[in-house]
Amino acid sequence: MANKLFLIGIDTYLNQKNLQSSVKDITDFKNILLEKFEFEEKEIYEITNENASNKKIQDAFRGYIKSLNSEDNLIIYYSGHGEYDSRSDIGFWIPYDANDYTSYIPNSTITSYLERIKCKHIIIISDSCFSNSLLQTSGTKNINEYFEKDSRWALTSAFNEAKDSEKNSNTLFAEILIETLENTIQDIRVSELIEKVKKQFEINVFQAPQGAPLLIQGHKGGEFIFKIKQHLDRRTFKGYLDFKKILKLYKRNSTFEELETFEDKTDKIGYQLYQEVDSVIKKSTYYLYLYEGIIQTRTYKRLKTEHPLVFQEKNLVILMPIEKDQKNIERRKKNIADKFKPISLFYIDDFIRDHCTPTVISDDDSKYLNINNFVLPIVNNDSENNEIKKLFNDWHYKRDEPILVIKGSGGIGKTTLAHYFADNLIQSHPSHYVLFIDSIQIKDSLLKNKNRGNLNLYNFYEALFEITDNIQEKLSEEVFQLNIDAGNILIIIDGLDEVISKIPNFSVSEFLESIKSSTTDLSNGKVIITCRTHFWDNSNFSDDPFTIIELEPFNEKQSEEFFNISFGSSNTRKINKALKLANDFKFPGNKAKHIYHPYVLDIIRSIIENEEDTINLDLSELNSSFLKNKIKNDYIIYRVCDREIKRVGQINVDKQIQFFIYLSVEKRGVIKVSNLKNEIEKSLNTTIDKTNVEAFKSHPFLKIIDSVITFKYDFLSDLFKSIYLSSFFNYESETNEISLFFTDIVSESCWFGSVLNSDVVKRIEQWEENDKLLVSDLISQVKTNHSDIDSKKIIANIFNLCLTINHKFNQNNIITNTALLRDLFEDQPNHIKGLSIININNDQNILFDFENQKVFDSIIDNYDNFWKCKFNKDSHFYNSELLNLNNKFSDSVLDRSNFIDCSFDSTIEKSLTTLMSKTENKTSIIKKFLQDFFHLFYSNGRLGRQWEHKVITPRYNGINRPNVNYKKFIKILKKNDVLLETEELNKAKFAITETKKESVIKFIKDGTISNSIGKIITDLIK
């Protein structure tokens, strides 16, 4: 069923006197129907002036005869000249091109057409003379029958003569008709509409509108009902608390007097009115905020009655919100402007952005998405590709829903999708800003924040301001909050897991609450958060609903699309080879719909792109003492390594894994190529031939940067560290004695909740008493071989790791946690010795029972739940350190007598232990210098342009550790087609070339060396 609208408006005539308001009348009638009632733009046919010829009008009627069906409705509005011949009792419409009555359109022709149109309801509204003989009266009936029965009705503006109006105004008939529709707060039948219009003309002796059913076939006693759109029935009636605040931001030195704030929810009248008086020119400017959900006409009438000067002085500025589910932005502005006639009219979000806020960011037209093989991902297991953009748009236009979370595993494409959303927003809303906050870049700044346990959204913005050159003027917190609330700035926080894992005491709940509190008035604020699934799901925030997108691996169709884009659709040989290889890397089980991880496909793309030999794809079953068949990443690692055996005669899979463990653990992921053979042999404790060494140089998991070999993907280093660590927690393992490598990794990376802890736990398949005895031995070795200071943190992180393992096999509760603590640290009944609890935060809810326990030579540092643990008067601590404990819980049974010879400190621990410094050789220095140089162009998640004299040359000396000649360096970049120089205002401006942006971004983000980057490094070393 469709509500069709046929509009005819004629102001200019070929052979008749011109009219003033016909086109305006039909336009305003159309707008009220589209804005308020169940009508759609696509169902409207409108002809005006020279287009409203006799032929075109009749052609339209003929078209409706062919196209309409018995469920459709048709409303016809004619505004123009009419004629009535009293002797023949015939009325006419006068088209644009009519000469005399022979070229008019008589009533009989119109009714003849109407009798042949097969639809449910027809209404003719004619603002001209129309024959009264066509009208009939009818009895009343039950209201439910009106819409069910077919009907044919007419409403005319006058019995004899209709009056025109002044230019830019509606006729009185059209004004009352539109106003009646606007004022109704419930569905209205056509007969009710007619009576309300007629009532307004009761005292008008010059014009008498008529309305009744048409005396033609098809009328069966029904009535059309103008039905109000459902979302309008649910509109919020709401003002704006910060209205005066934004006026003061607009004109800081002006005085604004509140004239009235008026609210009438019953009649839906609501506004705030302020007056600004210019004391110099003695003139007032009025600022009116119109509430959301008002009826415009009623509000206008009250204002005109109560504040006539506002309209007499003609110096009114109107601000208003975009209403919930409002679709046509400009139409509503026009309706308000036509009625109130202000000097200026703004949506409140536009006003805040354009008139109360300095430039948020100095940006160019660079895109965020700088990869050439982007494929739309799949989300939440049941969405199709083409729904992702709609999902984003639905969230972006939805009120009171400020947070969109993109979660998924590492490397699944969360950042890429955020870039895609950012580009879509900028394309559809060029005036909006995007602030892309990379958590990795700002985490050091956040660590310095004294309030880091209670970080809010503005703190993240401040941290971004410290590291970017694109923000010209830092917004105050007040202006920042107003713009967030108005929806003028889309915030993207990329990699919140970096903050969760690296910032002590960071509260996800309080941070999310700060976002919500920033968008409570206009409720248009939008923040996208990307986060690894593990961290998001384990953040223990409140159950407030968020829009959450969980990215899934690719399916076969997406994988094929990925390779088609990567190799070009015509390169079927490479595409088919890649697809065949990818089929062996799908997840075990293979019944799930989504089976290919994007980063694995990228590995395959890299392999196929660079190989020359035929690939043997007959891979064997997973059989390894290191890798676990149930862990997806292990399965992928095994398949790639196994393929290397068949392709280049590589050593067996476990020996490859053994070397990778050695590379990640003992060599910190970096080995000189010249020493590769010796290092491999050392790791395997055996000799290998030159063929195997060369095979490692081309291994898909490794990359060579001039004279250094390292992992191609960052996650591989942590993966092999987790394999190494897991062996120390398995009683059946042959690993017994700890080493400095073990203690270094534990000290640096095994804090409670770390990614490495989670990876290790996945590899633990049992947790028995023998395994705990093994850990007790590890702790004893640490105490024997390390200083007291070092051993405390190592033991604390071993304990943190054991807690995580314990929670895999047992519930996290005070009983199981205490049992583990006593298994590891109890040297005799009720005597705990050498306990280390460090950096376990409040939101991790770890509790212990210390009742009747004596704790000796221990450290408890930055353990928020200490005072929530169970104690009694017989709980005693001897010669122990208690530091940075949450002091909010003062109802403990403990007192000073429970602590004997203990050290106390009320301060918060300043920062995490600094990672051991890596020895930098010349190549590393060059790489770091090149990354720092490219960082000068990288801001807000994109590569932009930079002035040479303002940014590049002033900062060059600060990053130039290898002392590279500036002119030589710029020449090398240009020679390798990486740097583009343009001239603006007689000054040089540099940018990264479009063809190299992808390579540069990968180099900045994870150190990936493309051919072009490698060539630059080689040239610089020479």
Side-chain angles (χ1 to χ4, degrees):
M1 183 186 78
N3 290 334
K4 306 284 184 175
L5 186 59
F6 178 27
L7 302 170
I8 310 162
I10 313 172
D11 281 338
T12 57
Y13 276 88
L14 195 62
N15 302 299
Q16 308 288 330
K17 179 183 177 182
N18 288 340
L19 298 172
Q20 299 286 344
S21 57
S22 294
V23 174
K24 177 175 172 54
D25 288 347
I26 65 166
T27 301
D28 291 350
F29 179 73
K30 172 186 71 175
N31 287 340
I32 188 62
L33 293 187
L34 287 173
E35 184 176 329
K36 186 171 182 177
F37 298 94
E38 293 181 350
F39 286 80
E40 296 183 40
E41 192 93 49
K42 65 180 181 179
E43 307 295 353
I44 298 173
Y45 179 57
E46 182 176 0
I47 52 177
T48 60
N49 296 331
E50 64 271 13
N51 289 318
S53 64
N54 190 315
K55 182 179 185 306
K56 286 191 176 180
I57 293 173
Q58 296 201 50
D59 282 348
F61 279 116
R62 292 165 66 89
Y64 286 125
I65 291 172
K66 295 177 182 178
S67 63
L68 298 191
N69 61 55
S70 60
E71 295 301 313
D72 292 329
N73 305 307
L74 175 63
I75 288 82
I76 304 161
Y77 192 135
Y78 172 79
S79 182
H81 277 303
E83 185 71 40
Y84 176 65
D85 185 343
S86 59
R87 287 177 295 182
S88 60
D89 193 27
I90 297 175
F92 302 90
W93 285 353
I94 302 179
Y96 161 79
D97 54 347
N99 283 316
D100 54 29
Y101 72 92
T102 61
S103 53
Y104 298 168
I105 301 176
N107 297 339
S108 57
T109 300
I110 297 168
T111 55
S112 177
Y113 281 131
L114 298 184
E115 287 181 327
R116 288 165 176 76
I117 294 175
K118 306 295 183 184
C119 66
K120 194 167 191 65
H121 299 290
I122 298 176
I123 301 172
I124 287 188
I125 300 172
S126 181
D127 196 354
S128 66
C129 296
F130 200 90
S131 173
N132 189 43
S133 63
L134 292 176
L135 305 177
Q136 67 175 25
T137 59
S138 62
T140 60
K141 58 182 71 59
N142 185 290
I143 192 167
N144 292 327
E145 298 180 40
Y146 285 114
F147 199 72
E148 295 174 3
K149 294 186 177 182
D150 294 359
S151 70
R152 306 292 185 265
W153 284 75
L155 170 61
T156 67
S157 60
F159 189 87
N160 293 313
E161 183 180 357
K163 302 295 183 181
D164 194 15
S165 72
E166 297 177 357
K167 191 173 183 180
N168 299 322
S169 299
N170 295 117
T171 63
L172 182 61
F173 169 77
E175 180 182 334
I176 290 173
L177 172 63
I178 293 165
E179 188 175 295
T180 303
L181 289 170
E182 188 180 70
N183 283 339
T184 185
I185 58 176
Q186 58 189 14
D187 299 345
I188 184 170
R189 304 195 314 273
V190 64
S191 63
E192 292 178 299
L193 177 65
I194 290 170
E195 290 308 311
K196 287 178 182 290
V197 172
K198 289 170 66 178
K199 187 174 180 62
Q200 295 294 317
F201 282 87
E202 284 181 350
I203 60 174
N204 189 326
V205 298
F206 300 103
Q207 190 170 349
Q210 303 293 309
L214 287 168
L215 190 59
I216 61 174
Q217 292 180 9
H219 181 71
K220 298 179 182 179
E223 287 189 45
F224 177 76
I225 300 174
F226 290 86
K227 294 185 176 181
I228 296 174
K229 291 178 180 178
Q230 289 186 5
H231 74 80
L232 292 179
D233 292 335
R234 302 191 298 268
R235 288 187 303 173
T236 304
F237 188 79
K238 188 176 181 182
Y240 184 41
L241 297 176
D242 290 326
F243 184 45
K244 187 173 183 180
K245 185 186 293 183
I246 68 162
L247 293 178
K248 292 296 292 182
L249 286 171
Y250 168 54
K251 287 189 175 181
R252 288 173 169 80
N253 297 320
S254 294
T255 300
F256 295 92
E257 177 189 353
E258 182 179 356
L259 297 183
E260 185 183 23
T261 294
F262 183 80
E263 296 182 2
D264 185 339
K265 294 184 178 179
T266 302
D267 285 339
K268 297 198 173 186
I269 301 172
Y271 57 82
Q272 294 163 262
L273 182 64
Y274 282 82
Q275 179 184 27
E276 175 203 8
V277 178
D278 191 316
S279 59
V280 177
I281 62 174
K282 306 298 183 183
K283 185 175 182 181
S284 294
T285 301
Y286 300 94
Y287 294 88
L288 174 66
Y289 182 82
L290 294 175
Y291 275 28
E292 180 178 354
I294 63 166
I295 293 177
Q296 296 173 17
T297 301
R298 293 179 183 176
T299 302
Y300 171 72
K301 284 184 175 179
R302 189 186 191 284
L303 276 164
K304 200 166 184 179
T305 301
E306 299 297 325
H307 304 281
L309 283 177
V310 170
F311 299 96
Q312 292 171 14
E313 295 183 10
K314 296 182 179 180
N315 208 24
L316 173 65
V317 177
I318 294 180
L319 295 96
M320 60 184 184
I322 295 176
E323 299 208 347
K324 186 176 182 180
D325 298 323
Q326 181 180 331
K327 292 181 179 178
N328 195 312
I329 304 296
E330 293 306 316
R331 181 184 295 125
R332 184 160 178 261
K333 283 182 72 174
K334 183 179 184 303
N335 290 344
I336 296 288
D338 288 347
K339 190 175 297 295
F340 289 79
K341 296 180 172 52
I343 57 172
S344 294
L345 174 63
F346 303 94
Y347 281 111
I348 191 72
D349 56 327
D350 294 336
F351 186 80
I352 293 171
R353 182 186 61 246
D354 298 335
H355 301 285
C356 304
T357 308
T359 301
V360 174
I361 188 166
S362 175
D363 218 343
D364 55 28
D365 57 356
S366 299
K367 289 186 175 181
Y368 283 91
L369 196 60
N370 283 302
I371 59 173
N372 56 17
N373 53 5
F374 174 69
V375 174
L376 280 173
I378 288 177
V379 298
N380 299 336
N381 288 319
D382 55 2
S383 298
E384 296 299 326
N385 294 355
N386 58 11
E387 292 184 354
I388 287 181
K389 187 173 181 179
K390 182 178 183 300
L391 187 152
F392 171 74
N393 287 334
D394 288 348
W395 167 76
H396 184 254
Y397 288 110
K398 192 177 293 184
R399 298 272 289 277
D400 299 311
E401 193 165 330
I403 299 171
L404 169 66
V405 178
I406 305 174
K407 68 176 184 176
S409 59
I412 198 122
K414 301 182 291 295
T415 302
T416 302
L417 184 60
H419 283 160
Y420 172 77
F421 286 156
D423 285 341
N424 272 278
L425 176 72
I426 293 172
Q427 184 177 2
S428 59
H429 297 79
S431 61
H432 282 48
Y433 295 109
V434 173
L435 287 180
F436 190 95
I437 303 176
D438 188 335
S439 296
I440 295 176
Q441 289 185 301
I442 67 165
K443 69 176 185 297
D444 290 339
S445 179
L446 293 178
L447 276 169
K448 300 173 186 176
N449 194 308
K450 296 179 180 178
N451 195 36
R452 65 179 182 225
N454 189 28
L455 294 170
N456 59 35
L457 186 61
Y458 186 69
N459 296 141
F460 277 61
Y461 167 72
E462 288 181 308
L464 177 67
F465 181 80
E466 291 180 13
I467 63 167
T468 185
D469 296 316
N470 278 18
I471 301 178
Q472 292 184 336
E473 181 179 340
K474 181 179 174 183
L475 302 183
S476 68
E477 187 164 7
E478 179 183 58
V479 175
F480 177 79
Q481 300 277 23
L482 286 170
N483 276 279
I484 294 297
D485 184 41
N488 293 327
I489 306 173
L490 171 66
I491 303 285
I492 298 176
I493 299 173
D494 186 36
L496 187 65
D497 44 279
E498 286 287 333
V499 178
I500 296 172
S501 63
K502 302 293 172 59
I503 307 297
N505 303 320
F506 175 71
S507 171
V508 177
S509 294
E510 291 185 21
F511 177 66
L512 297 177
E513 190 60 38
S514 79
I515 296 175
K516 291 167 58 182
S517 64
S518 297
T519 177
T520 55
D521 205 343
L522 295 175
S523 305
N524 292 321
K526 296 297 170 184
V527 178
I528 295 176
I529 296 172
T530 74
C531 186
R532 291 192 181 190
T533 300
H534 168 78
F535 285 96
W536 183 260
D537 291 348
N538 290 279
S539 294
N540 296 321
F541 53 82
S542 59
D543 294 328
D544 293 323
F546 302 112
T547 297
I548 298 178
I549 296 175
E550 182 162 16
L551 297 190
E552 299 289 345
F554 282 2
N555 59 26
E556 291 184 12
K557 182 180 178 181
Q558 289 174 298
S559 302
E560 185 172 350
E561 182 183 355
F562 174 81
F563 292 129
N564 268 281
I565 298 172
S566 297
F567 302 127
S569 57
S570 61
N571 197 337
T572 55
R573 183 185 68 84
K574 283 191 173 182
I575 292 170
N576 291 334
K577 191 178 289 187
L579 288 170
K580 191 173 183 181
L581 184 58
N583 198 48
D584 285 314
F585 293 147
K586 59 190 177 187
F587 299 151
N590 196 23
K591 292 185 179 180
K593 183 179 177 182
H594 312 124
I595 50 181
Y596 301 97
H597 199 291
Y599 77 68
V600 178
L601 297 182
D602 197 42
I603 291 173
I604 294 170
R605 175 201 57 76
S606 178
I607 294 170
I608 300 300
E609 204 167 56
N610 297 298
E611 72 177 356
E612 298 293 336
D613 302 326
T614 303
I615 303 175
N616 184 349
L617 298 172
D618 182 21
L619 303 180
S620 62
E621 291 301 314
L622 191 153
N623 182 17
S624 170
S625 60
F626 292 108
L627 304 174
K628 305 295 182 183
N629 190 51
K630 294 181 180 179
I631 298 176
K632 293 176 181 178
N633 278 354
D634 282 18
Y635 182 83
I636 295 165
I637 297 299
Y638 181 85
R639 287 302 188 187
V640 173
C641 292
D642 186 63
R643 176 186 173 280
E644 288 296 284
I645 299 172
K646 299 172 175 61
R647 188 174 77 90
V648 293
Q650 184 57 278
I651 56 179
N652 69 45
V653 172
D654 271 6
K655 287 185 177 180
Q656 292 180 60
I657 302 303
Q658 192 173 334
F659 169 67
F660 292 144
I661 291 172
Y662 172 81
L663 174 60
S664 65
V665 172
E666 297 191 29
K667 305 306 294 184
R668 297 282 182 155
V670 178
I671 288 175
K672 288 185 177 181
V673 175
S674 60
N675 204 32
L676 180 59
K677 185 176 188 298
N678 292 335
E679 299 288 8
I680 295 172
E681 290 177 343
K682 183 179 178 181
S683 70
L684 304 178
N685 198 26
T686 186
T687 59
I688 61 169
D689 59 28
K690 186 177 179 180
T691 302
N692 294 129
V693 176
E694 293 304 312
F696 270 110
K697 290 180 180 178
S698 63
H699 200 288
F701 291 155
L702 300 176
K703 62 185 177 183
I704 296 176
I705 308 172
D706 193 56
S707 62
V708 172
I709 191 165
T710 186
F711 288 112
K712 188 172 185 179
Y713 298 93
D714 290 342
F715 78 94
L716 290 174
S717 181
D718 281 345
L719 184 145
F720 293 118
K721 286 178 184 176
S722 71
I723 295 173
Y724 169 75
L725 287 181
S726 64
S727 65
F728 288 89
F729 296 83
N730 182 357
Y731 183 79
E732 297 176 358
S733 170
E734 296 179 1
T735 308
N736 294 315
E737 293 186 1
I738 65 171
S739 66
L740 283 173
F741 305 112
F742 170 83
T743 54
D744 283 349
I745 294 173
V746 169
S747 177
E748 293 171 359
S749 304
C750 289
W751 63 89
F752 194 92
S754 70
V755 174
L756 192 55
N757 274 16
S758 300
D759 289 343
V760 171
V761 170
K762 291 176 185 176
R763 301 181 180 283
I764 305 300
E765 296 178 340
Q766 64 178 27
W767 188 235
E768 307 294 343
E769 290 304 314
N770 285 338
D771 302 304
K772 297 170 189 175
L773 285 172
L774 178 64
V775 176
S776 294
D777 181 62
L778 295 180
I779 293 173
S780 296
Q781 291 184 57
V782 172
K783 291 178 179 178
T784 301
N785 299 326
H786 289 76
S787 68
D788 184 57
I789 295 175
D790 291 338
S791 65
K792 288 175 181 177
K793 184 171 184 183
I794 297 167
I795 293 170
N797 280 353
I798 290 175
F799 186 40
N800 288 338
L801 184 49
C802 289
L803 280 169
T804 311
I805 297 171
N806 205 48
H807 296 160
K808 176 179 179 180
F809 296 92
N810 304 287
Q811 288 186 344
N812 173 18
N813 58 46
I814 196 167
I815 296 173
T816 59
N817 293 338
T818 304
L820 177 65
L821 183 150
R822 297 179 69 174
D823 284 340
L824 299 182
F825 298 102
E826 190 175 62
D827 62 346
Q828 55 180 291
N830 295 332
H831 276 233
I832 305 297
K833 188 172 183 178
L835 171 65
S836 288
I837 301 176
I838 299 176
N839 292 338
I840 298 182
N841 297 325
N842 184 47
D843 57 358
Q844 290 153 348
N845 201 29
I846 308 297
L847 298 175
F848 302 97
D849 184 356
F850 289 103
E851 289 187 344
N852 302 316
Q853 298 296 317
K854 292 179 171 58
V855 181
F856 296 85
D857 305 319
S858 298
I859 180 169
I860 301 176
D861 185 0
N862 195 31
Y863 172 38
D864 284 349
N865 283 328
F866 176 79
W867 299 108
K868 292 183 180 179
C869 292
K870 292 183 71 174
F871 302 99
N872 61 14
K873 291 295 183 181
D874 292 319
S875 302
H876 287 93
F877 294 82
Y878 299 86
N879 194 36
S880 297
E881 293 179 81
L882 294 98
L883 309 171
N884 303 309
L885 301 181
N886 190 325
N887 60 2
K888 293 181 181 179
F889 306 95
S890 57
D891 57 346
S892 173
V893 298
L894 299 177
D895 58 31
R896 196 164 187 83
S897 65
N898 295 98
F899 302 93
I900 296 92
D901 296 327
C902 292
S903 300
F904 298 92
D905 190 346
S906 61
T907 61
I908 299 172
E909 183 185 19
K910 290 183 178 179
S911 62
L912 299 174
T913 302
T914 305
L915 294 174
M916 293 177 64
S917 300
K918 296 181 180 180
T919 302
E920 292 186 312
N921 56 28
K922 186 175 181 181
T923 303
S924 299
I925 294 172
I926 289 291
K927 177 187 173 185
K928 181 66 168 59
F929 158 69
L930 192 57
Q931 285 179 320
D932 289 344
F933 179 82
F934 287 144
H935 260 293
L936 298 178
F937 298 85
Y938 188 73
S939 178
N940 197 29
R942 295 183 290 182
L943 288 170
R945 298 185 297 160
Q946 294 287 13
W947 291 103
E948 181 184 30
H949 70 290
K950 284 185 178 180
V951 176
I952 303 302
T953 52
R955 300 193 179 186
Y956 185 83
N957 289 336
I959 64 173
N960 188 16
R961 289 182 60 197
N963 296 317
V964 177
N965 179 271
Y966 176 75
K967 291 184 178 179
K968 171 189 171 185
F969 176 60
I970 297 300
K971 187 176 181 181
I972 289 173
L973 293 179
K974 290 180 179 179
K975 183 185 75 173
N976 286 279
D977 193 31
V978 171
L979 194 68
L980 177 67
E981 181 177 348
T982 58
E983 186 173 299
E984 291 184 24
L985 304 175
N986 297 320
K987 300 289 185 181
K989 205 167 192 180
F990 289 151
I992 305 301
T993 60
E994 288 296 325
T995 58
K996 296 299 188 295
K997 278 188 175 181
E998 181 179 353
S999 296
V1000 170
I1001 287 177
K1002 286 185 175 181
F1003 179 57
I1004 291 172
K1005 298 284 275 187
D1006 59 17
T1008 300
I1009 305 295
S1010 65
N1011 290 337
S1012 57
I1013 299 296
K1015 182 67 169 60
I1016 293 170
I1017 293 172
T1018 301
D1019 290 345
L1020 290 174
I1021 291 174
K1022 290 179 181 178

